[in-house]
Amino acid sequence: MKASIGGYTRAETVSHALSLLAEANGAGRLLAGGQSLIAALNLGTTSGDMLIDIAGIGALRGARIDGNRLIIGALTRHADIASDPLIAEHAPLLAKAAPLVAHDAIRNRGTIGGSLAYADPAAEYPACAIALDATIILEGPNGTRQVAAQDFFLGLFETARADDEILAAIAVPMAADGERHVIREAARRSGDYALAGLAVVRRDGRHRIGAFALGDRPLLCEGAMAALDGGDIDGAVAALATDVDPTSDTQASAAYRRHLAGVLLRRIAIDLGVG
Amino acid sequence: MTDSFQSRIDLEMTINGEAVELTVPAGRHLIDVLRHDLGLTGSHVGCEHGVCGACTILVDDSTVRGCLTLAAQLQGCEVWTIEGLTEKGVIADLQKAFVERNALQCGYCTPGMLASAKALVEAEGVPSRETIREHMSGNYCRCTGYEAIVDAIETVARQRADETGARSRAGETVAKARAGARS
Ligand SMILES: Cc1cc2nc3c(=O)[nH]c(=O)nc-3n(C[C@H](O)[C@H](O)[C@H](O)COP(=O)(O)OP(=O)(O)OC[C@H]3O[C@@H](n4cnc5c(N)ncnc54)[C@H](O)[C@@H]3O)c2cc1C
Ligand code: FES
Ligand code: FES
C-alpha cells in the first residue's frame, strides 16, 4: 500500500520543529529515521499526517558526557549506538542492544529517539532505559522536562510525551567500574522483534531487570530483581513469571513467552556468575 | 494546508552518478521514484514494510530500505541502485560468484542481496559464515535456501582479502625498499 500524508517540511532546529508542530495544529508528526513511521504509513495505520522531518537537526545527534551522565541525542542512529566508543564505555547495555535492533539497512536510518518515542513493547531500548534507570529529556513550548524512564512508558505505544513535545535525548548514569550489563532475547529471525527479552544491569551488587515483549510496555521486574540480589536463581525465575504480563498473538502464546523469559534469565545468571 | 508544509517537493540528488532534479509528491517512496518515475526497475518491491529486503539500495554508501524512505528525505543524497553498481563494475566479482554458485533462482531477492553483501565484502578480513548469515538476516530469499548465497559471499570476501593481502605485501616491499634506499 502507498503512504497517504498531508504534507512535508524540514525542521532546522529544535525550536523550529516546535513551532512547526504548533503550526500543524494537532496533525503534525515528527519524522526521524522513518523506520517505524513510514512502515505504519504504508500499512495505513496512520494517514493525513503533516510530516516534520527532524533528521537534519545536528544538535540532536551523537553522545556526550555531562557530569556523571552520558547524554545521547535522539537522532543518534542504531548503527552509531553500536559503534560509538563513548557509548561502548559508559552505556555498554545500549551498545549491546543496538545490533539486536532490526537489520543492517534499518539500523543505518532508525534512531534511538524514534524507538523510545514509538514505545513498541517489544523494542530493546525502552527496556534498557528502565534497567539503566535512565532519564528521558523532552523539549516543549514551555522548556525542558526530564522524566524517569520508568515513568515515561505508560502502555502500548503510549508515553508521557505530550503531542507538542520533542524527545531530545536520553541521559544514562555512566557505568561504574565493575558494573555489569547483559541483554538477551529470543526472536524467530535475527533482527526481528523479540518474542521475549531481558536487559539486566548489576550495579553495586544490586540488579535491575527490564523486560521487553513481555507486557504492554517495558516492565521493571522487581520480584526477580530482589531474588537475584539474594543469589536465588530459582526464586528469581519463579518471581519473573508473575513480574511479566505477556499476551498471546500470532507469533507466540503468553505461556511460551513466559517460559522463554525464565530461560533467558537463567542464561543471564550464568553470564553474570550468579548462583 | 499551512504555509510551511508542502505537498510536492523539489529535490536534487545524484542517482547512479548522474545529477537529477525532480519534483515528487511529498509521500512518494524512494523505491517508487526509482522504479516508476526513472524506470530503474532493477530494485524490487516485496513487502513494503521493511521486512523482506528486496528494495535494499545504497544511499550515501549505506544500505537503506527503499520502501521505508521517502524521496523527500534525500535532498542532496547520493543513490546507487543495481543498475549503476553493475555499470560501474564494483560488484562484478559478487555477481559472477552468485552465478557460479547458483545463488539465485527467480532473482527477485538478488538486487537487494547484492546491495547488502557489498558492505560485507568491503569490510576488512574474511567474515565467518555465521557473520555472513547475521549480516544478511534482513534479506529474504524464497528460492535458494541461502546456502549458495552464503557460499558466494564467502568466496568473494576471501578473494578480496587475498588481493588486499597481496597488495599490502607488495606495498610493504616497496616501503622497505624505500626505507632501505634512505638509510
Ligand atoms: C523490519 C523491521 C524490524 C524492526 N525490528 C526492530 C527490533 O527488533 N527492535 C526495535 O527496537 N525496533 C525494531 N524496528 C523499529 C526500528 O528500530 C525503528 O527505527 C524505530 O522504532 C523508530 O525510529 P525512527 O528513527 O525510525 O523513528 P520514526 O519511524 O521516524 O518515528 C517513529 C515514531 O516516533 C516519533 N518520533 C520519532 N522521533 C521522535 C522524537 N525525537 N521526538 C518525539 N517523537 C519522535 C514519530 O513521530 C513516530 O510516531 C524494526 C523496524 C522494521 C521496519
Ligand atoms: S519491499 Fe522494502 S523491505 Fe520488503
Ligand atoms: S532467488 Fe528467488 S527469492 Fe531469492
Side-chain angles (χ1 to χ4, degrees):
Chain A
M1 213 161 104
K2 300 301 171 193
S4 149
I5 70 166
Y8 171 94
T9 190
R10 294 186 193 102
E12 312 287 335
T13 61
V14 172
S15 59
H16 185 206
L18 292 174
S19 71
L20 288 165
L21 273 175
E23 185 183 329
N25 200 16
R29 172 91 72 165
L30 300 169
L31 173 64
Q35 301 303 290
S36 291
L37 180 51
I38 296 177
L41 287 165
N42 294 357
L43 293 169
T45 52
T46 176
S47 70
D49 294 324
M50 302 285 225
L51 299 183
I52 302 166
D53 189 347
I54 57 172
I57 305 179
L60 296 185
R61 190 150 178 208
R64 64 187 168 85
I65 292 170
D66 177 33
N68 56 4
R69 304 198 300 179
L70 186 70
I71 314 274
I72 304 170
L75 292 176
T76 312
R77 292 171 170 173
H78 308 326
D80 302 328
I81 304 268
S83 63
D84 186 323
L86 268 186
I87 296 175
E89 184 177 353
H90 302 300
L93 188 63
L94 294 175
K96 290 175 185 178
L100 303 178
V101 178
H103 311 283
D104 200 50
I106 293 163
R107 290 194 292 267
N108 285 336
R109 293 197 79 83
T111 68
I112 189 167
S115 173
L116 294 166
Y118 194 60
D120 191 309
E124 287 82 0
Y125 299 136
C128 292
I130 285 181
L132 288 163
D133 204 4
T135 304
I136 307 295
I137 302 177
L138 302 165
E139 295 283 349
N142 304 318
T144 307
R145 229 164 39 101
Q146 309 219 4
V147 182
Q150 229 174 298
D151 303 325
F152 183 73
F153 301 101
L154 303 178
L156 193 64
F157 302 112
E158 203 188 320
T159 69
R161 182 182 72 86
D163 285 345
D164 60 358
E165 287 179 316
I166 292 187
L167 194 160
I170 172 174
V172 181
M174 273 164 38
D177 279 349
E179 194 169 309
R180 296 287 303 277
H181 294 187
V182 183
I183 181 166
R184 278 184 178 269
E185 67 177 38
R188 286 190 184 276
R189 172 178 70 151
S190 178
D192 282 355
Y193 274 113
L195 299 176
L198 298 175
V200 180
V201 172
R202 181 163 73 201
R203 195 175 281 164
D204 299 329
R206 307 288 302 272
H207 298 84
R208 285 179 69 88
I209 306 175
F212 51 104
L214 289 165
D216 68 347
R217 74 196 82 175
L219 298 170
L220 188 70
C221 303
E222 293 179 272
M225 283 156 48
L228 211 53
D229 290 349
D232 175 8
I233 311 294
D234 291 336
V237 170
L240 185 66
T242 52
D243 284 336
V244 299
D245 186 18
T247 48
S248 297
D249 60 22
T250 50
Q251 297 284 315
S253 68
Y256 181 54
R257 289 179 196 270
R258 207 174 247 121
H259 169 76
L260 285 175
V263 172
L264 294 171
L265 186 58
R266 285 189 192 280
R267 290 183 185 166
I268 288 171
I270 293 170
D271 296 334
L272 292 171
V274 182
Chain B
M1 186 178 307
T2 50
D3 294 348
S4 307
F5 293 84
Q6 293 172 296
S7 56
R8 293 182 74 75
I9 310 288
D10 295 324
L11 291 172
E12 285 173 26
M13 47 180 149
T14 312
I15 297 177
N16 293 332
E18 264 180 56
V20 181
E21 281 182 34
L22 292 162
T23 303
V24 297
R28 191 115 173 117
H29 294 84
L30 172 61
I31 195 72
D32 294 333
V33 167
L34 294 171
R35 289 175 52 82
H36 299 307
D37 301 343
L38 301 174
L40 295 168
T41 53
S43 311
H44 293 161
V45 181
C47 66
E48 279 195 325
H49 64 279
V51 175
C52 74
C55 65
T56 307
I57 49 185
L58 296 173
V59 172
D60 292 343
D61 253 350
S62 297
T63 50
V64 307
R65 295 286 204 242
C67 73
L68 293 186
T69 311
L70 301 180
Q73 293 173 282
L74 300 186
Q75 166 59 27
C77 289
E78 193 175 311
V79 177
W80 285 91
T81 68
I82 189 66
E83 288 89 348
L85 295 173
T86 302
E87 197 168 309
K88 226 178 151 202
V90 285
I91 51 166
D93 51 353
L94 260 180
Q95 288 166 311
K96 184 162 170 275
F98 265 60
V99 172
E100 276 170 5
R101 304 296 306 182
N102 216 14
L104 64 154
Q105 288 172 32
C106 79
Y108 204 83
C109 67
T110 313
M113 286 286 175
L114 291 168
S116 291
K118 178 174 180 286
L120 198 56
V121 296
E122 282 173 358
E124 234 172 87
V126 181
S128 66
R129 291 181 73 85
E130 199 186 327
T131 303
I132 296 173
R133 282 185 179 274
E134 171 65 38
H135 181 85
M136 301 302 293
S137 67
N139 292 74
Y140 272 138
C141 175
R142 301 280 81 159
C143 301
T144 64
Y146 302 103
E147 200 63 20
I149 294 173
V150 177
D151 288 347
I153 296 170
E154 190 185 27
T155 304
V156 172
R158 194 163 284 143
Q159 282 166 358
R160 288 203 184 189
D162 286 348
E163 279 164 26
T164 328
R167 260 204 308 281
S168 66
R169 277 192 298 279
E172 270 164 37
T173 319
V174 172
K176 265 190 205 139
R178 284 210 190 106
R182 272 199 298 275
S183 60

